[in-house]
Amino acid sequence: MVTDGLNPVGVLAFVGAVLCGGALAVAYVVALITGRTSLAKAALVVAAVGAGAYALLFGIASVTSRNRVLAPGEEKHICEVDCHLAYSVAGVKTETLPSGAARYTVTVKVRFDEATISPRRPKDASLSPNSRFVALVDAAGNLYPGSTEGLKRRLIPGESYTTDIAFEVPTAAQRVRLILRNDDFETHFIIGHENSFLHGKTTFALGA
């Protein structure tokens, strides 16, 4: 299964790092105010060690990852902590516009993978996706964003649908691929997430 890298362990590590960092910052300020310099120094040391450990794990996860390009029909699972929405390219149409640009209409299939839900989750409980980012990217790295309105539909486990997303791309663009990913800001700081710095990305090919 190809996922975006979000998992409960990574989320807990991020939340723990934020909470511990906040607690240590408060302890440092209180120690300074009360004149307890030894406690202030200890808080700084613990914070530095914790930040270093997190940064090390973050870096290892990023540099050992790799880019993937999925063929049409292959799924990428975007995780919502305890369940997954699977995305794939179901079809592509192209046409030349009067302006000379090319319009790509990409049909995306969205599926709520019932095999990934928690055993405690009701089978009829719907899921509202987190924020999404969708764009085409060419060989030069240029981005051509599209609308995410069609990706906001709520789903219940096992349900699926298709939606068309239109993009305008210069006709000179080469090796165009689809980017479809989570767009939540905090994912950039979660260990192992594809949005994190230097981490490999998963994109979709638009043809054979």
Side-chain angles (χ1 to χ4, degrees):
M1 179 189 298
V2 178
T3 76
D4 62 357
L6 186 69
N7 60 74
V9 174
V11 172
L12 288 174
F14 173 72
V15 172
V18 172
L19 293 178
C20 289
L24 289 168
V26 171
Y28 175 74
V29 172
V30 171
L32 286 181
I33 293 174
T34 58
R36 302 172 67 180
T37 56
S38 59
L39 178 59
K41 291 179 180 179
L44 282 179
V45 170
V46 173
V49 171
Y54 192 90
L56 178 62
L57 294 174
F58 187 97
I60 291 173
S62 291
V63 300
T64 58
S65 64
R66 60 187 179 88
N67 293 323
R68 300 173 189 242
V69 180
L70 303 181
E74 286 190 285
E75 291 183 328
K76 170 185 175 180
H77 288 67
I78 296 182
C79 309
E80 310 284 349
V81 182
D82 70 338
C83 49
H84 300 66
L85 295 179
Y87 296 82
S88 60
V89 172
V92 182
K93 295 180 180 179
T94 61
E95 60 179 314
T96 302
L97 301 175
S99 63
R103 172 179 288 159
Y104 284 72
T105 302
V106 182
T107 300
V108 174
K109 181 180 179 180
V110 186
R111 181 176 69 90
F112 189 162
D113 188 349
E114 69 275 21
T116 65
I117 64 174
S118 166
R120 297 183 298 275
R121 184 184 180 90
K123 301 297 184 181
D124 59 350
S126 63
L127 171 68
S128 181
N130 288 344
S131 60
R132 297 288 184 255
F133 174 81
V134 64
L136 295 187
V137 59
D138 62 21
N142 298 309
L143 293 178
Y144 310 97
S147 172
T148 60
E149 286 301 312
L151 301 172
K152 296 180 179 180
R153 176 174 161 181
R154 298 181 68 90
L155 291 169
I156 61 173
E159 188 178 10
S160 66
Y161 70 94
T162 61
T163 184
D164 290 340
I165 306 175
F167 307 86
E168 289 190 16
V169 177
T171 54
Q174 300 293 317
R175 299 196 301 277
V176 178
R177 292 167 286 119
L178 174 71
I179 296 174
L180 200 167
R181 60 172 174 79
N182 186 301
D183 199 33
D184 294 332
F185 177 74
E186 63 273 13
T187 59
H188 295 279
F189 305 99
I190 294 177
I191 295 170
H193 198 282
E194 71 167 341
N195 287 348
S196 59
F197 184 63
L198 295 179
H199 198 281
K201 314 302 180 187
T202 299
T203 56
F204 299 86
L206 298 184

